[in-house]
Amino acid sequence: MAKVTDVKITSDSTDKNPYLGSLTILTSLFFIWGFITCLNDILIPHLKSVFTLNYTQAMLVQFCFFTAYFVVSVQAVIWLKKSIIKAESLPDY
C-alpha cells in the first residue's frame, strides 16, 4: 500500500469563487426579506390598537403586502421579456 505524506492543501487567491460576494448579498437579502415578512404578523396587532382598526382593516396590511409580490412579479416578467431573456423561456402575459 502506498503512503501519502507531506500533502498540503492550500487555497490560492486564483481559486476564489468570483460569485462569493454576490451570493453573500443574495443570501442576506433573502433572510432580510423573510424577516420583514414575519414582521407583518407582529405589526398587525399593534396597528389594530394604535389606529383602532377592526380585523378586516388590519388584515388589509397583509393582503396589500402579498399583493405587491404579484404586481411586481408580473411587471418583472414583462421587463425581462423585453430586455434580457428570450421569449421562449417565459410565459405569455
Side-chain angles (χ1 to χ4, degrees):
M1 195 163 203
K3 232 179 187 182
V4 178
T5 57
D6 295 333
V7 176
K8 293 182 181 178
I9 299 174
T10 59
S11 175
D12 267 352
S13 62
T14 58
D15 292 340
K16 278 192 162 183
N17 186 352
Y19 303 110
L20 185 62
S22 300
L23 182 64
T24 304
I25 292 171
L26 183 65
T27 304
S28 300
L29 286 175
F30 176 77
F31 283 107
I32 290 169
W33 198 350
F35 181 71
I36 291 170
T37 303
C38 291
L39 280 179
N40 277 342
D41 295 331
I42 298 168
L43 182 67
I44 288 173
H46 295 290
L47 288 175
K48 281 178 71 171
S49 64
V50 169
F51 294 109
T52 60
L53 303 174
N54 62 21
Y55 182 76
T56 306
Q57 293 169 334
M59 286 297 115
L60 278 174
V61 172
Q62 205 160 20
F63 176 77
C64 292
F65 183 81
F66 289 109
T67 302
Y69 282 124
F70 175 73
V71 171
V72 171
S73 67
V74 171
Q75 292 174 355
V77 168
I78 293 169
W79 177 76
L80 286 172
K81 277 182 128 178
K82 289 180 181 178
S83 62
I84 298 173
I85 298 178
K86 294 180 184 175
E88 300 92 38
S89 64
L90 294 172
D92 288 329
Y93 284 107

